[in-house]
Amino acid sequence: MITDNETAESIDQFMKPHLLITFIAISILGTSCSQNGNAETQIAWDTWGVPHITADNIEDLFYAQGWAQMHNHANLILELYGSSRGRGAEYWGQSKLQNDILIHTLGFGELANEWEKIQDPETNNIITSFIKGMNAYSEAHPESIDNEYKVVLPLTVKDLNMHLMYVVFTRVIAKHATKRLRRWPDMGSNALAIAPKRAASGNAMLVQNPHLPWRKEFLFFESHLNLDGKNMYGSTLVGFPGIAIGFNENLGWTHTNNTIDNSDIYELELRDGAYVLDGERKEFEAASKIIKIKQGDGSLVDTTIPLMKTIHGPVVNKTGDKVIALRMVGQDRPNMVLQWWRMINSTSFDEFETALKMAEIPFWNVMYADNKGNIFYLFNGLVPKRSSGDWDYWNRIIPGGKSSDVWTEVHPYADLPKVKNPAGGWLQNANDPPWTSTIPMTLDPNDYPAYMAPQYMPFRPQRAARMMIEDESISFDELVEYKLSTHLEFADRILDDLFAAVDSSDSEKAKEAKVILENWDRKADAGSKGMVLFYNWARKFNVWRQSNYAVAWDIKNPETTPDGLSDPARAVYLLEVAATEVETKFGRLDVPWGDYYRINYNGKDLPANGIDGSVGVFRVASPGGADENHMYVGSGDSWVGVIEFGDEVHAKVLLSYGNATQKDSPHNGDQLELFSRKELRDAWFTKADVEANTASIEILTEDRFHEGSIISIYNP
């Protein structure tokens, strides 16, 4: 006799293997509707914490994205926006004072007021909706926000504009002037575009791979937007609306930091309280600002900062008899957000190029591929039209006060270096100048102003070029392998010369080290034995110094120079020193790289792979700290996307540190295991993929999102 319990158990045992589909059932009182009373707006959260947002109008779409960003990054966003307001010292104390002074000195508050007046209505619509969504989340979920950040609420359109300015102007355009970025090595990106003629599938492919610090305003946010049936996928910096690096069913692009000089610093002499211009006194535009500074007891103390401006721009430093003034491009371009929006909405190269011609994005190379087989590279940005001079003239503090050195115009789109569908069938950029975007080179520096870009090609872009040159038929899986490659181009270039120098020496320690390096796989994988030794030697050798090589870098042989050792005896001595240090610290020379190089993020401790790009590693994972026995990843591979544009888009992605920073979020660091194993994950881009991988769902009802539930359906 079979009992009811046995019957239930047997049915359960039968049904579990026949699970066919998971669908979302929404339990909401009342009628589900959007803010505008149209079709349902929803956020489907997948198992990696990525929001898949569906809406039929722009207002709801960006409202939902603002809500989603706060869901994953509420405390971080409030800290970033509060700091970008120039009121960080008022909220959090003395440590934020210098940042506040910079923001007020550069006049971002006044500029933000001006931007809000002149921004395209569509830009304003996007930003306003995004801000409304963030504020709505904050009101609905006050428990998710730490008390120290609630003072920043509510957020405004001005806050977002000031945060855009802060990141783009102080962190990118004027980084050499503000010295804000020098603590992070090799901050940049990789990009590859493969034409159908070089692809095993016959489809164009794209690699998206920015390298930024794993902290604060440099963190990326991943999202999938579906506007009235149009799919858009990618990432942008936390606190920015839209998608800045992305793809849709037709095309995709990525950005890399480019070798563009679009800000200048001027050293001006003082005379009787004024500055000297063309030999004559010229009065400063003078003003002042009061900054409040929070004290330990919670009280506020006012401090007044003087503000001075010249025709060059604001004064950012002052000594007894001189001042430094800063001039930047882009302050008259308030529609960056709109340009990115039009780029992600493009369906063809012509539409995409029309968006590029808006010239609202003042920095960053563009690398592009599409489903028609086009690949394209643009040295994007606002390059000042200068009266004369070459790269070296402008890439310094400009002495004196000549009005002829104060530029007022920028080069139009037509003047910028660009390459479309090169004969070789591939394009790359790894923060090298535009001339080496493909080899044989198709761009001639002599066809452009001498100040447009410098001439050099470090080992990382050389590694990119060699991987492309050596493979006539690249499959999607091979392209993923190339993106994750930790092979050192510098090791291939220099080890033969170093070994010859060791053989000619009488150093036993160097010869012992040579054996380790001969058996090393020339990679920076976690298990690579010899990388610790070689990297220690390479840092002492100084890879960047051209005088260390017998043959310096040559634009006629861009991917095979520099080469040889100018001082073999010194190279051997440095290897001796490096080997002694490694052996003293670890008791052996063949230390696995992952035992020394680690990931230490949000409580996770994992073996790392990769290193900074100076030694020619394409998989960049730059050091961000160290202790006596370990070095730790602090920047590098952030967002990674490898996309193939066939009949259907095929994409693998990774957001190395995860898609959330909230302390209690399971997605704060949840992708680091994949990073440590050198793996990517599938981008869930189709409706079927999203439905199959949804962990939870929220539906917009009036001005709030409400959670639904997941029900499993079995085939009887």
Side-chain angles (χ1 to χ4, degrees), residues 241-358:
I243 291 173
I245 293 177
F247 62 92
N248 57 36
E249 278 123 344
N250 302 291
L251 55 84
W253 81 94
T254 190
H255 289 305
T256 59
N257 281 4
N258 49 355
T259 53
I260 186 172
D261 182 1
N262 53 8
S263 67
D264 284 313
I265 46 181
Y266 301 82
E267 185 181 69
L268 305 169
E269 293 184 5
L270 298 178
R271 184 186 299 169
D272 300 328
Y275 65 98
V276 179
L277 182 69
D278 297 329
E280 302 292 331
R281 288 180 71 258
K282 190 168 181 63
E283 298 291 341
F284 291 102
E285 293 181 42
S288 65
K289 275 284 177 73
I290 295 176
I291 295 179
K292 296 182 181 298
I293 307 172
K294 187 176 183 179
Q295 306 300 298
D297 61 1
S299 63
L300 297 175
V301 172
D302 290 348
T303 184
T304 301
I305 60 169
L307 303 175
M308 297 191 297
K309 204 170 184 182
T310 73
I311 69 164
H312 314 77
V315 171
V316 294
N317 203 356
K318 184 178 184 295
T319 63
D321 59 352
K322 292 180 181 178
V323 297
I324 297 292
L326 171 65
R327 189 170 190 80
M328 298 183 290
V329 301
Q331 295 179 81
D332 59 342
R333 310 292 169 113
N335 293 303
M336 279 181 283
V337 167
L338 180 58
Q339 182 174 335
W340 276 317
W341 180 236
R342 290 186 177 168
M343 288 161 69
I344 195 64
N345 275 277
S346 299
T347 60
S348 66
F349 176 78
D350 287 344
E351 285 184 16
F352 188 81
E353 189 173 37
T354 297
L356 293 179
K357 289 177 180 178
M358 291 173 65

Side-chain angles (χ1 to χ4, degrees), residues 449-507:
Y451 55 73
M452 182 68 71
Q455 298 181 29
Y456 61 83
M457 189 182 193
F459 287 110
R460 177 160 54 96
Q462 289 189 37
R463 178 66 190 158
R466 183 144 78 98
M467 291 189 296
M468 298 299 96
I469 290 168
E470 292 179 353
D471 194 341
E472 293 287 335
S473 180
I474 302 170
S475 70
F476 181 86
D477 290 342
E478 286 173 329
L479 189 58
V480 170
E481 289 180 13
Y482 293 152
K483 163 59 220 100
L484 299 174
S485 172
T486 67
H487 195 100
L488 275 71
E489 187 72 13
F490 177 58
D492 284 350
R493 185 68 49 79
I494 210 68
L495 277 181
D496 58 341
D497 303 295
L498 181 59
F499 291 163
V502 171
D503 289 341
S504 299
S505 76
D506 57 3
S507 171

Side-chain angles (χ1 to χ4, degrees), residues 130-255:
F130 186 76
I131 289 292
K132 284 181 179 178
M134 290 201 287
N135 283 329
Y137 183 89
S138 302
E139 292 172 9
H141 297 283
E143 75 286 349
S144 68
I145 299 172
D146 292 349
N147 287 333
E148 65 178 308
Y149 299 119
K150 289 181 179 179
V151 66
V152 181
L153 291 166
L155 302 176
T156 67
V157 168
K158 182 175 180 178
D159 290 332
L160 196 156
N161 278 326
M162 289 185 72
H163 186 59
L164 280 167
M165 292 172 192
Y166 178 74
V167 173
V168 174
F169 293 133
T170 76
R171 297 312 218 187
V172 181
I173 290 175
K175 63 182 181 290
H176 68 289
T178 59
K179 301 180 182 178
R180 306 284 291 179
L181 300 176
R182 290 184 182 175
R183 68 187 116 163
W184 293 295
D186 199 46
M187 179 172 162
S189 310
N190 293 327
L192 295 171
I194 314 299
K197 66 186 293 184
R198 297 296 290 269
S201 65
N203 299 320
M205 295 186 288
L206 177 70
V207 170
Q208 305 169 329
N209 184 209
H211 305 149
L212 290 177
W214 290 7
R215 63 186 297 275
K216 301 292 185 181
E217 65 267 25
F218 301 108
L219 296 178
F220 281 94
F221 178 75
E222 177 181 356
S223 59
H224 176 199
L225 309 180
N226 186 305
L227 178 62
D228 208 18
K230 179 181 288 186
N231 274 311
M232 298 163 277
Y233 200 108
S235 67
T236 191
L237 293 177
V238 172
F240 285 24
I243 291 173
I245 293 177
F247 62 92
N248 57 36
E249 278 123 344
N250 302 291
L251 55 84
W253 81 94
T254 190
H255 289 305

